[in-house]
Amino acid sequence: MRKPLSGTIFSALILLSIIILGPGCTKTPVGGSNVTVPSVVTFNIISSVTNTAASSGGIVTNANNGTISTNGVCWSSTNQLPTIADSKTSDVVNVNGFTSNVTGLTPATKYYLRAYASDEAGVGYGSVLTFTTNATSATINTTVSTLAGSSSGAYGFANGSGSSALFSGPLAIGLNPVTGNFYVADNFNNTIRVITPAGVVTSLTQSTLGYADGPLASALFYSPASIVFDAAGNAYVADLGNNRIRKITPAGVVTTLAGNGLNGYVDGSGTTAEFSSPSGVAVDSKGVIYVADRGDNLIREVSTANFVTSLAGTLAAAGIAQTNAPGYTDATGPAAAFNSPCSVAIDAQGNLYVADINNKAVRIVSTTTGAVTTLAGNAVQKNLLGSPVALTCDAAGDVYIVDQTGRILEITAARTLYVLAGALNTSGYVDGPGATARFNSPSGIAVDASGNVYVTDFNNNVIRKITVKIQ
C-alpha cells in the first residue's frame, strides 16, 4: 500500500531536524564542552553574627564553560538543604569570591546556609553551614588596657611595675598554668621576662644575645619567638636566632631539646636535627612538641624522646641543603604546602592550628595523619584574617588570632568569627573600647581561665590586656 504524501513529507522533516540539530539540544560552547552547573564552595566561617544578621560567602571554583549570572547565599531555618527558593542574597557576580550580608533573621534561631551560583545550565551549591543567631541584641564588648611597658611606647630593658617596665620587641606570651604568671619572649632583648597578673615585670634570663644552657642566671637566648607551657609548668621556647627548641623547667634549668644551631632542614634525634627560623611551638597533653618551622615552610614534630620528624609541608629534594618552597595546598603530609607558618596551637581535642601568615589563612593539621585543611582565610578571603601571625586556644575550643595588621580575632568552636579589638590595616597605640583600640604590629597572644586576652604589642613595646564582656 502506498504511503500518503503528507506522512512522507513529515518523516523527511524529522530526519532533516535530526541532521541539523544533532543528538541533543544542550548548548555547546566554543570550547566544545557542554555547559553544566557551576562548582561552588561555601566559606566555612560565619562572621558578624548578631540576633538578626550574619555574614558569609563563597567562591565559584569552576564555571564549567558557563557564564555566571547570579551568585550569593541562600538560607533557611527549616530546610537543611536550602535552595534559591528559600531566602537568598543576590550579590555582584564575582567568581573569585563574594561576601554576602544576611539580614532579617530571627533571634535565637538555628539556620542552614550555603553559597550558590547559577548559569545557563542551572544552579550550583556549596556545602551547608549551620549557625545560631544571638538570643538578644547584646554584643561582645571589649576593653583594651596596657598591662606592662612604657605608655609612650619607648623601648629598652627595665624591670618594674606597669609602665615603669621596658621591653624591646616583645614577640610572644605564654601563661604558666601553675603560677598564673606570664612569660614573655622579649625578642630584641634576647631574654625571657615574667609578668604577674598585676603587671609586675622581672627577668628570668640575661639580656645578652647568645646560646647557653644551664641555670636561668647563666642561660642565653637569641631572639626567642614563641613560648608555651605544659600542665606541669615546663616552658618550651622556639629560640629563633639559635634555630633550636629549648625547655625551661619549673626549677629554672634550661636545656636544648632539638636543633644544632644550623639553619637548615634535617630530621633526626635531638641536636642532630636542623630547623630554619622556628617561630612557633605547641605542646600536647602527652608532651609531644609541634614546631612552626617558618623558614622551611614545615610543621615539625618533636617526640617525647626528642626525635624530630616532619608532620606536614612540602619537602625539599633529598640531599639538597635548602629551605622548602612556599605554597598553598590542602593535602596530607608532604603533599601539603604552607607559606611561612609562624605559629601553632593545640586544643583539648588534639587539633593543631597553624597561623599561615603569607597565605593569610589558619590551617588545621591532624596530629595523627598529617592531613591539612583550611579553617579560615586564603588569598580569596585575604581581609578575613589579614596577616595571622599568632594564635592560641582556650578550654572551650575557641581559637584566638593575632592579625598583625592591627586586629585581635576570635573564631568560636561553632566556627563564628568575631573581631575583639583593633582595626584591619590600622596602626597606632590607643587603649579603650575594642573597636577604637589600636595596636602596632601585635605579635603574640595568650588567654587566661577567665577569658581575658593578653597580647604582645611588638612595635609599641608593651603588653596589652583585653577584657571581654557580653552586654
Side-chain angles (χ1 to χ4, degrees), residues 148-226:
S150 172
S151 58
S152 67
Y155 67 90
F157 179 74
N159 292 323
S161 181
S163 60
S164 65
L166 292 177
F167 299 88
S168 185
L171 195 56
I173 186 169
L175 172 63
N176 187 329
V178 176
T179 66
N181 293 328
F182 298 91
Y183 280 19
V184 172
D186 194 1
N187 190 260
F188 293 148
N189 280 323
N190 301 293
T191 188
I192 308 298
R193 316 287 290 277
V194 178
I195 306 178
T196 69
V200 178
V201 179
T202 55
S203 298
L204 281 182
T205 62
Q206 301 178 53
S207 179
T208 304
L209 183 156
Y211 168 68
D213 284 337
L216 285 170
S218 57
L220 298 177
F221 291 83
Y222 181 10
S223 295
S226 177

Side-chain angles (χ1 to χ4, degrees), residues 58-394:
I59 181 173
V60 179
T61 58
N62 194 333
N64 294 327
N65 295 313
T67 300
I68 305 301
S69 56
T70 57
N71 57 215
V73 298
C74 53
W75 68 93
S76 172
S77 61
T78 57
N79 184 4
Q80 296 186 20
L81 289 174
T83 71
I84 58 173
D86 298 300
S87 299
K88 70 178 188 298
T89 62
S90 295
D91 299 301
V92 175
V93 173
N94 186 351
V95 298
N96 294 319
F98 51 89
T99 298
S100 292
N101 295 316
V102 178
T103 58
L105 304 179
T106 302
T109 301
K110 182 178 182 179
Y111 284 93
Y112 305 90
L113 175 148
R114 58 178 172 171
Y116 77 89
S118 60
D119 64 8
E120 306 94 306
V123 183
Y125 294 95
S127 58
V128 177
L129 295 181
T130 60
F131 69 97
T132 301
T133 51
N134 298 338
T136 68
S137 59
T139 58
I140 295 178
N141 286 308
T142 63
T143 302
V144 178
S145 59
T146 298
L147 178 65
S150 172
S151 58
S152 67
Y155 67 90
F157 179 74
N159 292 323
S161 181
S163 60
S164 65
L166 292 177
F167 299 88
S168 185
L171 195 56
I173 186 169
L175 172 63
N176 187 329
V178 176
T179 66
N181 293 328
F182 298 91
Y183 280 19
V184 172
D186 194 1
N187 190 260
F188 293 148
N189 280 323
N190 301 293
T191 188
I192 308 298
R193 316 287 290 277
V194 178
I195 306 178
T196 69
V200 178
V201 179
T202 55
S203 298
L204 281 182
T205 62
Q206 301 178 53
S207 179
T208 304
L209 183 156
Y211 168 68
D213 284 337
L216 285 170
S218 57
L220 298 177
F221 291 83
Y222 181 10
S223 295
S226 177
I227 187 163
V228 296
F229 286 84
D230 63 18
N234 295 293
Y236 301 86
V237 180
D239 193 0
L240 185 146
N242 282 317
N243 291 298
R244 291 178 166 100
I245 307 304
R246 317 280 292 278
K247 178 181 179 179
I248 306 173
T249 69
V253 177
V254 179
T255 57
T256 296
L257 300 181
N260 60 15
L262 298 177
N263 181 40
Y265 163 64
V266 175
D267 282 342
S269 181
T271 55
T272 67
E274 292 180 4
F275 299 90
S276 179
S277 299
S279 58
V281 286
V283 59
D284 68 14
S285 59
K286 298 177 182 178
V288 177
I289 301 166
Y290 300 92
V291 180
D293 191 3
R294 184 169 184 169
D296 281 326
N297 293 297
L298 296 173
I299 305 304
R300 314 283 289 278
E301 180 179 315
V302 184
S303 73
T304 55
N306 297 340
F307 194 90
V308 179
T309 55
S310 295
L311 178 63
T314 302
L315 305 180
I320 298 178
Q322 63 180 35
T323 56
N324 298 297
Y328 177 64
T329 305
D330 281 344
T332 298
F338 300 88
N339 193 345
S340 292
C342 52
S343 180
V344 285
I346 196 161
D347 66 15
Q349 287 70 46
N351 299 303
L352 184 68
Y353 298 88
V354 180
D356 193 4
I357 187 168
N358 286 346
N359 280 324
K360 301 182 180 298
V362 169
R363 321 281 291 278
I364 303 177
V365 182
S366 167
T367 56
T368 55
T369 67
V372 179
T373 56
T374 297
L375 171 65
N378 53 38
V380 174
Q381 298 175 280
K382 59 184 179 180
N383 287 334
L384 183 68
L385 302 182
S387 295
V389 68
L391 40 74
T392 191
C393 302
D394 66 13

Side-chain angles (χ1 to χ4, degrees), residues 351-449:
N351 299 303
L352 184 68
Y353 298 88
V354 180
D356 193 4
I357 187 168
N358 286 346
N359 280 324
K360 301 182 180 298
V362 169
R363 321 281 291 278
I364 303 177
V365 182
S366 167
T367 56
T368 55
T369 67
V372 179
T373 56
T374 297
L375 171 65
N378 53 38
V380 174
Q381 298 175 280
K382 59 184 179 180
N383 287 334
L384 183 68
L385 302 182
S387 295
V389 68
L391 40 74
T392 191
C393 302
D394 66 13
D398 300 333
V399 181
Y400 298 82
I401 303 163
V402 177
D403 170 10
Q404 198 170 39
T405 75
R407 298 180 301 174
I408 310 303
L409 312 171
E410 177 187 4
I411 297 178
T412 68
R415 300 299 185 251
T416 300
L417 174 69
Y418 295 97
V419 178
L420 297 181
L424 177 70
N425 296 323
T426 306
S427 298
Y429 180 27
V430 179
D431 283 337
T436 61
R438 294 294 179 262
F439 303 85
N440 194 347
S441 194
S443 299
I445 191 165
V447 179
D448 68 17

